Amino acid sequence: LEFQNCSQTGTLTSGWDFFGCSENTPGEIIIGAADIPGTNGAGVLLNVVFKERGNPGAGLLQLQDFVDGIEFATTEDGTLNNPVPVELAFFSAQVSQNSVKLGWTTATESNNFGFDIERSFDGDVFSKIGFVQGQGTTVVPQHYVFEDNEIDLADELHYYRLKQIDTDGSFEYSVTIKVELLSPETFVLRQNYPNPFNPGTLISYQIPLSSKVTLVIYNLQGQVVRTLVNEEVSRGFHNVIWNGKDDFGKSVATGVYVYRMSAHKFVDAKSLTLMR
């Protein structure tokens, strides 16, 4: 998408004293205006011309900081897209001797260009370390893998997150997962975070030896809601996301649920709360 023109086509209405526009990311342009405090400005007349290079409607127009909103906006081909977020169902990390292997699964995708993989050593400042191409639009679960072979063994903790990018340039960040490079010495099931949660929560566990692991969500009647893990898992620190849906992909109701893990001779359970 190439941006041909961004201009103010009329005088600013009463109360408005600023107009500006800039291209922030490929396929996205943001137009902003700020009003003078204490006035009741109705808006500003704008004109944006998009020159399409891809499919019609590939552009995203965002209008920010307007007191009364915008009643009408259009692109050259007459289409404005509202990005649909990609639904991340699973995100985990496995530690080997000299690398960290990240894996994630999407339940559905809409206009998914791909994922930037970002890493941090302090949990605050992230940098991009790779990119994985998305599958566009699909209702079939997709599985992705990325291996970080440039870990810093001097740093015990590494943090990872995904930056999911739509074809129109809009993006969303996943939850951040913490990876400990030292091998665990005990079995541990950690409290989920955040809790209460909506729409997703991260459950972390560690195992000191490769084991058959089951991690299951139950309702308070003891019925299975979602099986998150049921496979042989390598030793290390692991993370899994529960997106508040059951094994059939249906969103479950607000309430308290129990997640139970078993591995080798270890069994533990904790409760979590979903708030719709």
Side-chain angles (χ1 to χ4, degrees), residues 58-70:
L60 170 67
L61 179 62
Q62 295 184 354
L63 301 172
Q64 299 183 340
D65 299 331
F66 286 84
V67 172
D68 298 322
I70 295 295

Side-chain angles (χ1 to χ4, degrees), residues 156-273:
E156 179 181 339
L157 298 179
H158 286 45
Y159 300 84
Y160 295 90
R161 70 183 183 186
L162 303 174
K163 180 181 179 181
Q164 184 274 314
I165 307 170
D166 280 0
T167 53
D168 60 19
S170 58
F171 59 87
E172 289 187 357
Y173 288 106
S174 72
V175 296
T176 298
I177 60 175
K178 180 175 69 175
V179 175
E180 300 181 54
L181 299 186
L182 299 179
S183 297
E185 299 180 354
T186 59
F187 289 91
V188 173
L189 174 64
R190 302 189 186 280
Q191 185 65 50
N192 67 299
Y193 179 82
N195 188 42
F197 73 95
N198 182 24
T201 189
L202 186 74
I203 300 173
S204 302
Y205 65 93
Q206 64 186 57
I207 55 175
L209 69 160
S210 296
S211 310
K212 172 66 179 297
V213 175
T214 60
L215 180 56
V216 181
I217 307 289
Y218 297 88
N219 59 26
L220 294 184
Q221 288 71 49
Q223 300 168 318
V224 174
V225 173
R226 179 75 177 270
T227 299
L228 295 174
V229 182
N230 185 25
E231 61 186 359
E232 189 76 17
V233 178
S234 62
R235 65 179 298 183
F237 301 87
H238 301 273
N239 305 271
V240 61
I241 294 172
W242 184 39
N243 59 0
K245 296 188 177 182
D246 62 19
D247 282 329
F248 302 100
K250 182 179 179 181
S251 296
V252 301
T254 294
V256 178
Y257 296 84
V258 174
Y259 59 101
R260 181 180 184 272
M261 171 187 163
S262 63
H264 194 52
K265 299 179 181 180
F266 172 83
V267 178
D268 193 11
K270 298 182 184 298
S271 63
L272 49 74
T273 303

Side-chain angles (χ1 to χ4, degrees), residues 44-161:
V44 61
L45 182 61
L46 302 174
N47 176 49
V48 181
V49 179
F50 287 174
K51 177 182 178 182
E52 296 287 352
R53 285 184 171 177
N55 295 326
L60 170 67
L61 179 62
Q62 295 184 354
L63 301 172
Q64 299 183 340
D65 299 331
F66 286 84
V67 172
D68 298 322
I70 295 295
E71 294 183 359
F72 179 77
T74 185
T75 62
E76 191 173 50
D77 69 355
T79 305
L80 285 175
N81 285 355
N82 292 320
V84 178
V86 171
E87 183 180 2
L88 187 66
F90 179 86
F91 183 25
S92 69
Q94 296 185 16
V95 181
S96 62
Q97 184 174 2
N98 294 306
S99 68
V100 174
K101 185 177 182 180
L102 304 174
W104 63 98
T105 299
T106 59
T108 60
E109 296 185 17
S110 180
N111 301 319
N112 181 23
F113 177 69
F115 303 88
D116 281 348
I117 294 88
E118 299 186 349
R119 180 185 62 200
S120 171
F121 298 114
D122 60 7
D124 293 321
V125 179
F126 284 83
S127 59
K128 176 181 175 180
I129 61 171
F131 175 80
V132 174
Q133 188 75 38
Q135 294 298 316
T137 299
T138 177
V139 295
V140 178
Q142 302 293 320
H143 308 284
Y144 300 92
V145 174
F146 178 85
E147 191 161 359
D148 180 10
N149 295 307
E150 299 181 357
I151 60 175
D152 187 347
L153 297 177
D155 284 284
E156 179 181 339
L157 298 179
H158 286 45
Y159 300 84
Y160 295 90
R161 70 183 183 186

